C-alpha cells in the first residue's frame, strides 16, 4: 500500500476494520462449509446435505450485504470529515492566494464536490476487498490442506503470482489516473474562471477562443480517461489469465488422479471447488483497485491541502476583547502569487480605537489588498498585523471576523430575500433589527418600493439593483452585525449625486462610534474619516494624508465635495 492509501485507511474508525475482518472470516468459513457440503452431496448423491449448502449461500449473501453496508456508511463518514477538514482550510485562505484569488478556487471546488466522491470506491469497494484478500485465502487454503495437501502446495505457490502481476500493471494505471485527475482539475479551474468572466469575454468577442480552450482540455481529459480504462482492462486480463492457469495446474492432476482411482470423488470435487475460491478475492482486488485509483489520487490532493502551511486560522486561541481595538500594521508586505511587484510594500499604519481612517490612492495601489489583510483573507509575506497587541495569526479568526463589518467594493448579494441578505452576518437579527439597519443605510426607501418589500427575492448577484443600492444593502448588512470595526471599500462605479449623498450619509451612520478603515475614491466620503492616508504603488506616501482633514489635493477628482468622482 502506498503512503496515501495508508493515510486514507487511518481515517476509518478502528471498529469498522474489526467488523470487516470479522465479516471476511465468517465468509471464508462459509466458503469451506459450502464447498464441503456440496462436494459430499454430489459424491454421495445425498440430498440431505443440500439445505446446508443453501444456508451457506444465504449466509454469504447476508454477510456481503452487511459488509458493504458497514463500508458504505464508513465511506460517507470519512468523506464528511475530509470535507470539513478541507473547508476549514478553505475558510481562511492563506498565503497561497487570498479570498479573491481565482486560480486555486475552481480546483478547490472540484475537490470538495465531485472530487471527494471519488473516494467512495476506495472505502466501499477496495478496503473491504483488501481485508477479504488478506483473510479469506489463508482460511480456504487451510481447508484445502485438509482435503488434499498436494493441491494445496500448488495453490500456495501460484497464489503470490496474482498480486505480483497485478502490481506490475497497476503501477502504470496509477500514473494514468494521476494524469486524468490533474486534467479534470485544470478543466474545473479554467471553466470557473471562464464562467466568472463571461460578460467580459463576450464584450471583447473572445468567447470563441475560450470555448476552443475548454474543448481542448475536455478532449485531453477524455483521452486520459480512455487511456486509464485501457490499462485497467489489460490488467484484469493479465490477472484472469494467471488465475485460470493456476486453477488448471490444480485441476489437471486432480482429474488424472480421479481417473486412476487414486483419489476419492468427494475429495477431488472439494479441491476443484475450493481452489478458485483462494484466487477469487485477489482477482476481485485488482478491479477494485482500479476503481479506487481516482479516489486515491484525489485523496493525495486533499492531504496536500491539509498539509499546506496553516492559514491564520492556525491554533488561534486568543479571543480579542469587546469594543473597538487598536489595530497596528508593521512593515506589512503582500505579494500575490506570480506578481513581480508586491501589492503592498512595508506598510505601517496605526488605527487607534474608534478612529476612522480613510485610504486614498490610484487604482491598483493596494487599497483593497489592505482591507483583505485586515480581514485575515490575505496573509502578508512579511511584517505584522497586531490587534490590541496580539498578532493576527494568533487570533481566533472566527472571533476576529465576528468583530468585523465588511463592505466590499462589489458586494455579493445572494439570490435570497432582501431581509435575508441584510441578516447574512447576523442570522438571529429580527425584522425590527433588519429595518433599523436598512434605515441607517438609507436603503429603506428603495426596499419599500420593491414588489414584495423586504421579502423580495433578489436576482442572482443582486440583479435589478443599481450599484448604489447594492452598496447600501451591503452597508445595512454590516450595520446589522453591530461589529466594532468596519472595513469599507467604496464602489468605484460612478454614482449620481443623490446616490452618492445617500451613500455618504449611510456610511457616516455606519461608522458612528466604531473603528474603521475606509477606502475612498471620492472626496465626499473622506468627510466621514478622522484621518486620510494615501497609498501609491503599494506604499504609504508620507506627507499627504497624515493631516487631520481632507484637503482639495485629491488627484482623481480635484474640486469640492460635490464633484463627481472618477472611477479608480
Ligand atoms: P486597489 O484596490 O487600490 O485598486 P488592489 O489592492 O485591488 O488595488 O490591487 C493591488 C495590486 O495587486 C494590483 O496591482 C492588482 O493587480 C494586484 N492584485 C489584486 N488582487 C490580486 C489577486 N487576487 N491576484 C494577483 N494580483 C492581484
Ligand atoms: Mg480596490
Amino acid at each position: 500500500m502506498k503512503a496515501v492509501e495508508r493515510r486514507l485507511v487511518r481515517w476509518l474508525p478502528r471498529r469498522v476494520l474489526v467488523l470487516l475482518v470479522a465479516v471476511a472470516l465468517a465468509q471464508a468459513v462459509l466458503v469451506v462449509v459450502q464447498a464441503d457440503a456440496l462436494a459430499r452431496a454430489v459424491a454421495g448423491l445425498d440430498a440431505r446435505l443440500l439445505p446446508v449448502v443453501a444456508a451457506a449461500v444465504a449466509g454469504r449473501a447476508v454477510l456481503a450485504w452487511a459488509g458493504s453496508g458497514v463500508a458504505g456508511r464508513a465511506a460517507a463518514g470519512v468523506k464528511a470529515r475530509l470535507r470539513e477538514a478541507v473547508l476549514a482550510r478553505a475558510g481562511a485562505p492563506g498565503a497561497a492566494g487570498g479570498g479573491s484569488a481565482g486560480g486555486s478556487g475552481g480546483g478547490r471546488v472540484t475537490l470538495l464536490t465531485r472530487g471527494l466522491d471519488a473516494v467512495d470506491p476506495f472505502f466501499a469497494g477496495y478496503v473491504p476487498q483488501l481485508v477479504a484478500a488478506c483473510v479469506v485465502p489463508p482460511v480456504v487454503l487451510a481447508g484445502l490442506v485438509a482435503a488434499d495437501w498436494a493441491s494445496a502446495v500448488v495453490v500456495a505457490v501460484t497464489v503470490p503470482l496474482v498480486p505480483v502481476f497485478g502490481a506490475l500493471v497497476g503501477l502504470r494505471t496509477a500514473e494514468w489516473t494521476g494524469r486524468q485527475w490533474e486534467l479534470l482539475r485544470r478543466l474545473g479551474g479554467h471553466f470557473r474562471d471562464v464562467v466568472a468572466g463571461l460578460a467580459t469575454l463576450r464584450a471583447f468577442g473572445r468567447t470563441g477562443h475560450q470555448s476552443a480552450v475548454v474543448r481542448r482540455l475536455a478532449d485531453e481529459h477524455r483521452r486520459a480517461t480512455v487511456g486509464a480504462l485501457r490499462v485497467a482492462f489489460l490488467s484484469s486480463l493479465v490477472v484472469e489469465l494467471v488465475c485460470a492457469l493456476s486453477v488448471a495446474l490444480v485441476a489437471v492432476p486432480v482429474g488424472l488422479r480421479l481417473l486412476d482411482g487414486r483419489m476419492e470423488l468427494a475429495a477431488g470435487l472439494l479441491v476443484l471447488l475450493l481452489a478458485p475460491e483462494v484466487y477469487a478475492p485477489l482477482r476481485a482486488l485488482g478491479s477494485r483497485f482500479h476503481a479506487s485509483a481516482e479516489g486515491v489520487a484525489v485523496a493525495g490532493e486533499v492531504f496536500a491541502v491539509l498539509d499546506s502551511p496553516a492559514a491564520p486560522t492556525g491554533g488561534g486561541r486568543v479571543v480579542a476583547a469587546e469594543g473597538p481595538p487598536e489595530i497596528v500594521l508593521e512593515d506589512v508586505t503582500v505579494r500575490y502569487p506570480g506578481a513581480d511587484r508586491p501589492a503592498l510594500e512595508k506598510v505601517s499604519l496605526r488605527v487607534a480605537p474608534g478612529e476612522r481612517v480613510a485610504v486614498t490612492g490610484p487604482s491598483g495601489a493596494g487599497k483593497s489588498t489592505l482591507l483583505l489583510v485586515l480581514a485575515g483573507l490575505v496573509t502578508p509575506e512579511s511584517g505584522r498585523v497586531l490587534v490590541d497587541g496580539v498578532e493576527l495569526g494568533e487570533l481566533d479568526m472566527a472571533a476576529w471576523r465576528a468583530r468585523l463589518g465588511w463592505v466590499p467594493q462589489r458586494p455579493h448579494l445572494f439570490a435570497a430575500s432582501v431581509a435575508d441578505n441584510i441578516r447574512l452576518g447576523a442570522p438571529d437579527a429580527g425584522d425590527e433589527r433588519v429595518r433599523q439597519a436598512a434605515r441607517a443605510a438609507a436603503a429603506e426607501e428603495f426596499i419599500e418600493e420593491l414588489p414584495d418589500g423586504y421579502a423580495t427575492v433578489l436576482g442572482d448577484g443582486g440583479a435589478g439593483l443599481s450599484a448604489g443600492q447594492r452598496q447600501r444593502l451591503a452597508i445595512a448588512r454590516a450595520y446589522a452585525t453591530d461589529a466594532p470595526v468596519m472595513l469599507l471599500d467604496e464602489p468605484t462605479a460612478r454614482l449620481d449625486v443623490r446616490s452618492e449623498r445617500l451613500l455618504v450619509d449611510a456610511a457616516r451612520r455606519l461608522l458612528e462610534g466604531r473603528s474603521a478603515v475606509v477606502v475612498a475614491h471620492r472626496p465626499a466620503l473622506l468627510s466621514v474619516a478622522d484621518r486620510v492616508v494615501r497609498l501609491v504603488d503599494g506604499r504609504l506616501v508620507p506627507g499627504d494624508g497624515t493631516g487631520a482633514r481632507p484637503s482639495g489635493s485629491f488627484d482623481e477628482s480635484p474640486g469640492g465635495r460635490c464633484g463627481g468622482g472618477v472611477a479608480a
Side-chain angles (χ1 to χ4, degrees):
M1 245 201 232
K2 285 181 302 195
V4 173
E5 294 167 33
R6 264 201 302 274
R7 198 166 155 191
L8 205 49
V9 168
R10 273 203 290 274
W11 281 74
L12 271 183
R14 186 157 294 269
R15 78 196 137 72
V16 171
L17 285 179
V18 171
L19 264 177
L20 288 177
V21 169
V23 166
L25 264 179
Q27 269 183 319
V29 170
L30 283 184
V31 164
V32 177
V33 169
Q34 179 196 332
D36 183 51
L38 188 61
R40 280 192 288 141
V42 171
L45 293 177
D46 186 353
R48 278 167 310 163
L49 282 167
L50 287 181
V52 178
V53 176
V57 171
R60 284 175 71 184
V62 169
L63 284 172
W65 173 78
S68 72
V70 166
R73 290 262 302 272
V78 171
K79 267 195 313 189
R81 279 185 292 138
L82 280 174
R83 283 202 170 103
E84 268 166 32
V86 174
L87 263 182
R89 273 305 158 89
S100 55
S104 65
R108 187 74 58 89
V109 170
T110 315
L111 195 60
L112 278 173
T113 51
R114 158 97 172 77
L116 256 181
D117 282 337
V119 302
D120 270 344
F122 180 83
F123 285 115
Y126 181 65
V127 171
Q129 195 60 50
L130 188 63
V131 170
C134 295
V135 172
V136 174
V139 175
V140 178
L141 202 58
L144 206 52
V145 170
D148 174 40
W149 67 266
S151 306
V153 168
V154 176
V155 172
V157 170
T158 51
V159 154
L161 291 180
V162 180
V164 166
F165 278 94
L168 283 180
V169 191
L171 287 179
R172 284 272 300 148
T173 326
E175 195 182 301
W176 272 97
T177 41
R179 211 171 98 76
Q180 178 197 6
W181 169 245
E182 167 63 23
L183 279 166
L184 182 62
R185 210 172 54 82
R186 260 176 45 203
L187 190 61
H190 186 78
F191 196 66
R192 176 180 174 279
D193 282 350
V194 169
V195 170
L198 210 52
T200 317
L201 289 172
R202 283 200 52 182
F204 289 94
R206 296 283 290 170
T207 43
H209 171 72
Q210 284 307 328
S211 56
V213 172
V214 170
R215 196 172 309 128
R216 185 174 56 76
L217 281 174
D219 218 41
E220 277 177 42
H221 178 243
R222 181 183 57 78
R223 228 168 301 152
T225 308
V226 173
L229 280 177
R230 209 163 32 215
V231 179
F233 284 137
L234 181 68
S235 107
S236 47
L237 181 76
V238 168
V239 169
E240 294 292 321
L241 207 64
V242 172
C243 290
L245 287 176
S246 306
V247 172
L249 280 181
V250 176
V252 171
V254 166
L256 291 176
R257 280 155 69 199
L258 281 175
L259 278 179
D260 289 358
R262 275 182 291 144
M263 194 177 207
E264 292 282 316
L265 179 57
L269 274 177
L270 182 57
V271 169
L272 290 181
L273 287 172
L274 282 184
E277 294 290 350
V278 181
Y279 302 99
L282 291 166
R283 231 167 62 193
L285 188 63
S287 59
R288 294 287 165 85
F289 170 77
H290 293 300
S292 76
E294 191 187 352
V296 173
V298 173
E301 293 266 319
V302 170
F303 292 144
V305 170
L306 295 184
D307 291 343
S308 63
T313 36
R317 295 286 162 265
V318 188
V319 180
E322 292 301 309
E326 179 199 41
I327 303 172
V328 176
L329 278 82
E330 279 179 7
D331 287 335
V332 169
T333 299
V334 173
R335 193 189 301 273
Y336 286 105
D340 44 351
R341 197 176 62 79
L344 286 179
E345 201 174 351
K346 290 198 175 299
V347 169
S348 296
L349 179 70
R350 174 175 180 274
V351 183
E355 190 184 22
R356 286 154 299 181
V357 176
V359 183
T360 69
S363 178
K367 305 182 293 296
S368 300
T369 303
L370 182 68
L371 296 191
L372 289 173
V373 168
L374 290 174
L377 290 170
V378 165
T379 310
E381 178 182 273
S382 62
R384 304 198 300 167
V385 181
L386 301 165
V387 177
D388 277 338
V390 183
E391 254 189 83
L392 203 56
E394 264 144 47
L395 283 184
D396 177 344
M397 260 306 138
W400 171 234
R401 297 218 179 100
R403 302 182 67 205
L404 288 179
W406 171 254
V407 184
Q409 206 163 347
R410 279 181 298 274
H412 188 83
L413 298 174
F414 293 89
S417 74
V418 170
D420 284 347
N421 265 293
I422 291 178
R423 63 167 75 98
L424 181 73
D428 305 328
D431 287 347
E432 189 39 48
R433 180 87 187 119
V434 168
R435 270 165 205 285
Q436 189 189 354
R439 210 172 304 135
E444 185 156 58
E445 194 186 328
F446 83 81
I447 292 174
E448 275 165 4
E449 281 169 13
L450 292 173
D452 297 322
Y454 285 88
T456 310
V457 174
L458 296 176
D460 231 347
L465 298 181
S466 75
Q469 290 171 336
R470 279 206 291 270
Q471 192 80 7
R472 276 181 275 148
L473 274 191
I475 288 182
R477 184 186 274 173
Y479 195 95
T481 63
D482 221 4
V485 183
M486 287 293 156
L487 305 176
L488 196 151
D489 210 342
E490 192 197 2
T492 46
R494 183 188 273 278
L495 301 179
D496 59 64
V497 175
R498 188 178 117 82
S499 301
E500 172 156 344
R501 209 194 60 237
L502 285 174
L503 183 68
V504 171
D505 288 346
R508 192 188 307 281
R509 276 190 291 270
L510 175 69
L511 305 187
E512 199 84 36
R514 314 184 205 237
S515 294
V517 178
V518 179
V519 172
H521 306 283
R522 276 168 287 252
L525 196 60
L526 295 183
S527 64
V528 306
D530 303 314
R531 185 157 71 95
V532 181
V533 299
R534 189 171 161 75
L535 267 177
V536 175
D537 285 345
R539 267 182 294 247
L540 274 185
V541 184
D544 183 16
T546 39
R549 279 278 150 177
S551 64
S553 65
F554 198 58
D555 67 356
E556 276 127 328
S557 172
R561 285 184 43 189
C562 294
V566 175

